[in-house]
Amino acid sequence: MSITNTPTSNDACLSIVHSLMCHRQGGESETFAKRAIESLVKKLKEKKDELDSLITAITTNGAHPSKCVTIQRTLDGRLQVAGRKGFPHVIYARLWRWPDLHKNELKHVKYCQFAFDLKCDNVCVNPYHYERVVSPGIDLSGLTLTPSGPSSGLIKDEYDFDGPQSLPSLDGGHSLQTIQHPPSGSRPAPSEAFATPNLLTPAEASTSASTSSFPAIAAGSGSASSTWSRNSSFTPNLPHHTNGHLQHHPPMPHPTHYWPVHNELAFQPPISNHPAPDYWCSIAYFEMDVQVGETFKVPSSCPIVTVDGYVDPSGGDRFCLGQLSNVHRTEAIERARLHIGKGVQLECKGEGDVWVRCLSDHAVFVQSYYLDREAGRAPGDAVHKIYPSAYIKVFDLRQCHRQMQQQAATAQAAAAAQAAAVAGNIPGPGSVGGIAPAISLSAAAGIGVDDLRRLCILRMSFVKGWGPDYPRQSIKETPCWIEIHLHRALQLLDEVLHTMPIADPQPLD
């Protein structure tokens, strides 16, 4: 079928898919695009008016008005296609409009009744019901996605920043990528313009300006599975992609374009009426898998703390790693420690959100569920590389609280169902008791307190990264890193566990 021979909802699925494939933008592989389009067309076959709206919107490039094109919202809001999960409106907007799109850059048009952000049971995936805007949270205006071959080697030593390298694939399987957090362009210091919009006051927002340029997204091919890690990195002013890294470059300031601002969080009441803890976080320093020195507690009276590599005495708002001794320290660890330098600044905002500013001359690598979610990744599915001078939010207390409530509820319900299965009390026709159905429920029931505590912890490695693109597969293989326990989040977890107790599951014999 030619592009000019436009199908209708009465045509065979194959014909419709073929026509819609002719309009894809090329950012994804042909296999992934075909799977995504086939999936959508099959879902819409019983909703002929919506399928016709989709065909009209895509084949006319949005020239004619079209209705909402909806699919059922999933529990976590994401859609799985060809082994990859992503937000549905983002997937189809990338396919047919912007191949270099990030989810934070979409805003629905006013007449869209089922936009993703409206949290309806159905989600509109009509690409022409969304507009692209600059993302003020994690700046991704330089994201690029172009096909390339499999990566041939590991990323060069993290001490070096020069030279382009190749990128593994985003299509198919369990793909690996690094999300990179750059400094704030030509500005002398990172500014609140790069903050999540709900943390900006109107006065601050009116002075924060930017235009966006959208160079292309690169995806190569490589599919490895990861445990803790998918690497997310943010480059210093390098307009290229590195091995396994998606690079995101900051927009340049411009006097006539301003960040959109939403101040709803500024007026939200606290999550809990429980008094704030005396210390907002505690920081433990590790070399490989060994803790070195005592855990450093940061008083709530010091919302900003610096962790650096100098030898001054630690105290109050400064944790100096240079003065800590370790009889088992190797030459490689000693060499890495020399590059910590000015280190990082951790800042607690509001009730318990956390921001990081990289003061070092070398990147730091962060494990952050908040950044995973912002990048459209599964929790614990990425390692985020934050480059020198970058300033970025790494923890959101409300998001963490929602996540711990959901996981606790899931675990409690699964544990009850598992107990019923063992006792033979599962209702419904053909139900059986015994160990087999109990095992099928064990994954959900297996969520324990330790799993929930991980939501309240940040991990950060200095200088050296880890994950599939590095010789180190775990943060415990990096020479120097810190673990940050966030006390307000742990306090909220304690409340959740008191209202919804979870017993750590016993292993099945």
Side-chain angles (χ1 to χ4, degrees), residues 150-331:
S151 54
S152 58
L154 297 171
I155 292 177
K156 68 160 61 181
D157 193 283
E158 295 89 323
Y159 297 129
D160 302 325
F161 293 142
D162 54 322
Q165 296 157 8
S166 61
L167 181 75
S169 149
L170 289 183
D171 51 83
H174 203 51
S175 60
L176 302 167
Q177 92 183 54
T178 296
I179 305 166
Q180 308 187 356
H181 305 248
S184 52
S186 61
R187 298 177 186 176
S191 78
E192 288 294 312
F194 293 92
T196 300
N198 51 35
L199 293 176
L200 286 176
T201 64
E204 288 169 328
S206 67
T207 59
S208 306
S210 134
T211 56
S212 64
S213 58
F214 300 97
I217 278 188
S221 64
S223 73
S225 60
S226 91
T227 51
W228 254 127
S229 42
R230 281 263 177 94
N231 278 311
S232 314
S233 320
F234 280 67
T235 49
N237 307 312
L238 300 179
H240 58 264
H241 43 75
T242 55
N243 186 14
H245 299 59
L246 280 183
Q247 303 199 8
H248 312 257
H249 298 274
M252 301 302 289
H254 190 283
T256 59
H257 296 267
Y258 299 94
W259 294 121
V261 175
H262 308 285
N263 283 316
E264 61 270 16
L265 276 193
F267 306 106
Q268 288 183 336
I271 299 171
S272 168
N273 292 324
H274 197 284
D278 294 334
Y279 299 91
W280 71 265
C281 78
S282 54
I283 306 170
Y285 170 66
F286 292 83
E287 292 176 359
M288 307 295 277
D289 59 352
V290 176
Q291 181 173 348
V292 177
E294 298 294 322
T295 298
F296 182 79
K297 293 186 177 181
V298 184
S300 295
S301 58
C302 298
I304 298 177
V305 60
T306 302
V307 183
D308 60 43
Y310 299 128
V311 296
D312 300 321
S314 298
D317 62 354
R318 188 176 176 198
F319 184 20
C320 296
L321 306 178
Q323 45 90 23
L324 298 176
S325 60
N326 176 11
V327 294
H328 301 294
R329 184 171 293 153
T330 64
E331 185 181 343

Side-chain angles (χ1 to χ4, degrees), residues 24 48 65 132 155 182 199 235 257 263 268 282 295 322 333 359 373 387 409 465 478 484:
R24 68 189 182 91
K48 292 186 179 294
R132 187 174 189 173
I155 292 177
L199 293 176
T235 49
H257 296 267
N263 283 316
Q268 288 183 336
S282 54
T295 298
I333 294 173
L359 303 176
R373 185 179 178 89
Y387 275 84
T478 62
I484 304 146

Side-chain angles (χ1 to χ4, degrees), residues 68 70 73 112-116 118 120-125 130:
C68 285
T70 62
R73 181 185 288 271
C112 183
Q113 297 177 315
F114 297 95
F116 181 83
L118 298 180
C120 302
D121 290 339
N122 291 319
V123 178
C124 177
V125 294
Y130 294 88

Side-chain angles (χ1 to χ4, degrees), residues 58-109:
I58 301 307
T59 57
T60 65
N61 294 323
H64 299 298
S66 53
K67 299 178 183 176
C68 285
V69 177
T70 62
I71 60 174
Q72 185 77 28
R73 181 185 288 271
T74 59
L75 286 175
D76 68 353
R78 296 184 299 162
L79 178 69
Q80 181 158 328
V81 177
R84 288 170 49 191
K85 272 195 165 189
F87 294 100
H89 62 312
V90 177
I91 289 175
Y92 293 107
R94 278 179 184 156
L95 277 180
W96 286 309
R97 294 194 71 183
W98 306 288
D100 56 346
L101 179 73
H102 182 271
K103 80 176 186 72
N104 282 8
E105 297 173 345
L106 282 185
K107 176 185 176 184
H108 64 87
V109 295

Side-chain angles (χ1 to χ4, degrees), residues 286-497:
F286 292 83
E287 292 176 359
M288 307 295 277
D289 59 352
V290 176
Q291 181 173 348
V292 177
E294 298 294 322
T295 298
F296 182 79
K297 293 186 177 181
V298 184
S300 295
S301 58
C302 298
I304 298 177
V305 60
T306 302
V307 183
D308 60 43
Y310 299 128
V311 296
D312 300 321
S314 298
D317 62 354
R318 188 176 176 198
F319 184 20
C320 296
L321 306 178
Q323 45 90 23
L324 298 176
S325 60
N326 176 11
V327 294
H328 301 294
R329 184 171 293 153
T330 64
E331 185 181 343
I333 294 173
E334 193 66 69
R335 195 164 56 245
R337 278 168 52 85
L338 293 174
H339 292 274
I340 296 174
K342 295 179 181 177
V344 295
Q345 206 173 62
L346 305 173
E347 181 174 0
C348 181
K349 289 191 176 187
E351 192 177 354
D353 294 350
V354 179
W355 291 67
V356 166
R357 190 189 302 273
C358 181
L359 303 176
S360 173
D361 291 334
H362 299 280
V364 294
F365 297 79
V366 179
Q367 197 174 79
S368 160
Y369 288 169
Y370 170 76
L371 288 180
D372 294 343
R373 185 179 178 89
E374 290 300 292
R377 314 299 293 187
D381 206 25
V383 178
H384 300 262
K385 186 174 184 180
I386 302 179
Y387 275 84
S389 299
Y391 178 57
I392 189 165
K393 184 177 182 180
V394 294
F395 181 80
D396 184 284
L397 186 67
R398 289 181 184 276
Q399 182 195 96
C400 175
H401 186 238
R402 285 193 300 269
Q403 205 168 354
M404 63 177 69
Q405 285 179 315
Q406 289 166 0
Q407 288 195 16
T410 299
Q412 189 181 46
Q418 188 180 34
V422 173
N425 294 331
I426 294 182
S431 63
V432 293
I435 204 68
I439 291 174
S440 68
L441 292 165
S442 64
I447 299 172
V449 175
D450 284 346
D451 299 292
L452 295 174
R453 282 178 60 84
R454 287 193 192 102
L455 301 175
C456 312
I457 295 171
L458 295 168
R459 284 175 160 185
M460 182 183 304
S461 168
F462 294 98
V463 185
K464 296 289 185 177
W466 77 96
D469 298 314
Y470 294 92
R472 300 161 294 277
Q473 296 306 302
S474 159
I475 194 170
K476 293 184 179 181
E477 296 173 33
T478 62
C480 39
W481 58 280
I482 56 175
E483 185 171 85
I484 304 146
H485 291 242
L486 303 171
H487 293 186
R488 183 60 167 172
L490 290 166
Q491 201 177 55
L492 295 178
L493 174 58
D494 192 53
E495 291 183 14
V496 168
L497 294 177

